[in-house]
Amino acid sequence: MPELPEVETIRLTLTPKLTGRTITGGEVLLPKLIQRQSPVEFLQEIRGRKILELDRRGKYLLIRLSGEFVIAFHLRMTGQLIVEDITQPSANATYLKLQFDNGTELRFRDQRKFGMVFLFHADTPPISITKLGPEPLTEDFSVNVLKKRLSGRKLAIKKALLNQEIIAGIGNIYADEALFLARLHPTRMANSLTDNEFQQLADSIVQVLKAGINFRGTTKRDYRDGEGKAGSFQDHLKAYGRKNLPCPNCGHNITRIEFGGRGTYFCQYCQK
DNA sequence: CACATTGTTACCAG
DNA sequence: ACTGGTAACAATGT
C-alpha cells in the first residue's frame, strides 16, 4: 500500500530522528527480509556507520550511510518503519531493529512479511532500483517526459501508470485517483491520448501525489508514518475504494471493475 | 475457510 | 530483442 506519498511522508518524519545517528547494533528477526547478503553480514557491514541522509526513489526509502553504503527498504503492502526508544516494548511483527547511539532504534514491522531490505554500495544498486522510471515530483518531470515514455506503447493507461519502469512511485490508489482527476478511463490505450489529455494526466499525477503528501499519506489499514501516525488522504479519495458511492463530480455511483488483476475504481460518466 | 489483498518478477507468446 | 499479458508469489486477517 505505501506508494510514493506514503514513503515520502515516512522519509520526512524519519529524517530528523535518523540523520547524524551512528548504528551501534541491530537484530534481524526474519532472515528472508535481507535480500543481498546473510543477516550476519548485513549487520556487520552497517555497524559503526553513520546515517548521512534519507532519500527516496519511487517507493523505495533509501538510508545513505557513511562509506557510500545504502540501505533500501521496500515496504510492499504492510511494511512500517518507526523510531522508538529501546526501552519501549516493540509491537508484534517487528522483524528488523537497528539501534543507534542515542538510545533509540529503527523498527521495521511487516504483518504480511512481503517487505524487502537491500544493503548495497552506492555503485551497485539492485536492478529494480536502477531501472525505475522518472520521479514524478522532480523538476525534470513534465508532460513531454510522460509523452515520450508512453509513445509507441500499446497498453492501457492504468497499466502504464502502475509500471515502475515507465514512471516511478505510483500504485493502485494514486493511479485511480490521477485518472479520475484527469477524467481518463483506466482502460484507454496510452497511445490514444491527445496532447490535451497528456497534459491533464501529467498535471493530475503531480497534483494527486502532492495532495497525498500534504495529507500525510493514505491509511486504509496498516500504513503509518515514521512516528506511528496514520495519514488522512483516505478521507479525500474521489474514486479509489468508493464503489457505489457518489462521484464527487457528477453524483453517479463509482464503478469497480477487475482490471489487470486489481481492483479499479472510476466514474463511467466522467472518465472517457 | 476460501478469498482478497498488492507490487514485483518469472515466464510465455507474439 | 523487446513488449505486453498472465500467473505466481509472498502471508494472513476476515
Side-chain angles (χ1 to χ4, degrees):
Chain A
M1 301 265 272
E3 307 177 26
L4 186 153
E6 287 74 35
V7 180
E8 181 65 11
T9 304
I10 291 171
R11 186 185 76 80
L12 291 169
T13 50
L14 287 182
T15 294
K17 295 172 183 285
L18 295 188
T19 323
R21 296 273 67 82
T22 294
I23 299 171
T24 54
E27 236 179 308
V28 178
L29 297 103
L30 183 72
K32 70 149 196 153
L33 204 57
I34 313 298
Q35 304 290 313
R36 281 257 177 129
Q37 52 281 101
S38 73
V40 172
E41 289 166 331
F42 171 81
L43 292 171
Q44 278 172 354
E45 195 66 82
I46 62 172
R47 175 176 279 113
R49 294 191 188 275
K50 189 171 175 177
I51 296 178
L52 303 181
E53 60 179 346
L54 270 64
D55 216 336
R56 182 190 53 72
R57 186 75 176 90
K59 301 171 190 171
Y60 291 86
L61 180 77
L62 308 178
I63 298 182
R64 300 197 183 278
L65 306 177
S66 52
E68 304 259 281
F69 276 81
V70 182
I71 306 175
F73 289 89
H74 196 300
L75 306 178
R76 287 292 193 104
M77 290 177 71
T78 57
Q80 298 178 359
L81 283 168
I82 297 174
V83 173
E84 286 171 319
D85 209 278
I86 289 176
T87 56
Q88 288 185 282
S90 39
N92 69 325
T94 299
Y95 295 126
L96 174 66
K97 299 177 183 180
L98 300 184
Q99 286 116 30
F100 305 119
D101 52 356
N102 67 346
T104 64
E105 65 184 9
L106 176 68
R107 294 169 174 173
F108 178 77
R109 290 183 73 196
D110 191 3
Q111 203 58 245
R112 289 286 184 276
K113 304 184 186 178
F114 295 167
M116 301 181 293
V117 178
F118 301 82
L119 172 68
F120 54 92
H121 192 267
D123 290 340
T124 56
I127 309 148
S128 56
I129 291 182
T130 55
K131 68 182 182 187
L132 286 173
E135 284 292 327
L137 295 188
T138 57
E139 290 167 8
D140 40 298
F141 180 73
S142 67
V143 62
N144 288 326
V145 169
L146 183 67
K147 229 162 133 178
K148 200 161 283 181
R149 300 240 110 207
L150 295 177
S151 70
R153 296 294 204 128
K154 193 173 151 40
L155 79 171
I157 187 62
K158 171 155 180 181
K159 288 185 179 174
L161 294 184
L162 291 177
N163 184 334
Q164 302 301 300
E165 298 177 35
I166 294 179
I167 181 169
I170 300 174
N172 207 27
I173 295 175
Y174 293 92
D176 280 1
E177 291 300 303
L179 291 170
F180 177 87
L181 220 60
R183 302 199 169 209
L184 291 169
H185 197 289
T187 64
R188 268 282 293 281
M189 281 296 143
N191 59 10
S192 78
L193 302 204
T194 65
D195 280 359
N196 253 345
E197 289 173 327
F198 271 121
Q199 187 68 60
Q200 279 296 321
L201 181 58
D203 291 346
S204 300
I205 288 169
V206 171
Q207 195 184 321
V208 81
L209 293 176
K210 283 185 174 170
I213 295 170
N214 286 337
F215 286 101
R216 311 178 61 80
T218 302
T219 299
K220 285 256 104 181
R221 177 190 213 91
D222 294 282
Y223 165 71
R224 295 291 184 279
D225 69 18
E227 296 169 345
K229 292 191 294 207
S232 62
F233 195 56
Q234 66 278 8
D235 301 331
H236 303 273
L237 297 174
K238 296 179 173 175
Y240 182 85
R242 305 194 70 246
K243 182 185 176 184
N244 293 333
L245 292 171
C247 164
N249 285 340
C250 72
H252 287 98
N253 283 357
I254 295 289
T255 305
R256 180 195 190 275
I257 59 170
E258 176 99 359
F259 179 59
R262 46 202 38 126
T264 296
Y265 301 84
F266 64 101
C267 175
Q268 293 180 287
Y269 297 87
C270 296
Q271 297 175 247
K272 299 299 177 193

